[in-house]
Amino acid sequence: MADYLLPDDITTLAQRVVEQNAAAGRKVVLAESCTGGLVAAALTEIAGSSSVLDRGFVTYSNESKAAELGVAMDLIEAFGAVSVACVYAMAQGALERSNADVAVAISGIAGPGGGSDQKPVGTVVFARAIRDQAQPEAEEKLFAESSRSGVRRQATLCALELLLP
């Protein structure tokens, strides 16, 4: 295998994402919060990713989610940044602000702090929006990892899976 910056499981999956989306003629866009650009970084590890990756938004703060992706602040105040409502809006905003066919958005609590009884550390919410489809898909996962890096790694793998055609 080539010499990659990121772990083999991530780059192997990223290779599949690039190859399968290129074959399908699809472009992708990412809206990342807790992963901090790791999903886009994984894709750019792969030669030929420029035919697939349109752009990535790293919107870590609530203000950046609003400014860069058009997420309404009242939505964030009502439901929180780690919510299905927020990642729906992030995915839709990323699609609207790109030339991509599919968007994946990620927001979560990687820890070690920031969790609550309702949203413990390891809670990550994902959305996938496909251009010209009415409703994005979303899911919430709880990664029972012992570390911040473990949560971010699992979130990156999950997001890459969502990018497969």
Side-chain angles (χ1 to χ4, degrees):
M1 189 160 198
D3 182 29
Y4 291 121
L5 180 65
L6 297 172
D8 287 350
D9 57 345
I10 290 175
T11 53
T12 299
L13 185 52
Q15 177 108 32
R16 285 181 50 215
V17 169
V18 169
E19 288 171 355
Q20 291 180 21
N21 280 287
R26 286 191 348 167
K27 290 239 183 224
V28 304
V29 62
L30 294 151
E32 300 185 63
S33 186
C34 66
T35 49
L38 279 172
V39 183
L43 293 177
T44 60
E45 286 274 81
I46 309 305
S49 59
S50 60
S51 69
V52 170
L53 179 62
D54 180 64
R55 68 192 75 192
F57 296 92
V58 177
T59 53
Y60 207 71
S61 70
N62 292 343
E63 294 75 16
S64 67
K65 289 172 180 65
E68 300 296 319
L69 298 172
V71 178
M73 286 304 288
D74 60 353
L75 183 148
I76 293 172
E77 289 162 12
F79 300 102
V82 182
S83 66
V84 166
C86 184
V87 291
Y88 269 177
M90 289 170 66
Q92 284 300 129
L95 264 189
E96 290 165 6
R97 290 159 176 79
S98 73
N99 299 313
D101 303 295
V102 61
V104 168
I106 309 117
S107 187
I109 305 163
S116 67
D117 289 342
Q118 294 78 27
K119 294 179 185 175
V121 169
T123 302
V124 183
V125 188
F126 302 87
R128 175 175 52 198
I130 298 172
R131 194 171 295 283
D132 301 326
Q133 276 191 3
Q135 187 74 10
E137 307 164 42
E139 63 181 317
E140 181 177 307
K141 290 184 176 276
L142 178 59
F143 297 116
E145 296 290 334
S146 60
S147 68
R148 178 178 181 81
S149 61
V151 170
R152 295 176 75 224
R153 179 189 188 117
Q154 291 303 312
T156 298
L157 288 165
C158 185
L160 287 168
E161 289 279 351
L162 289 172
L163 288 171
L164 291 168

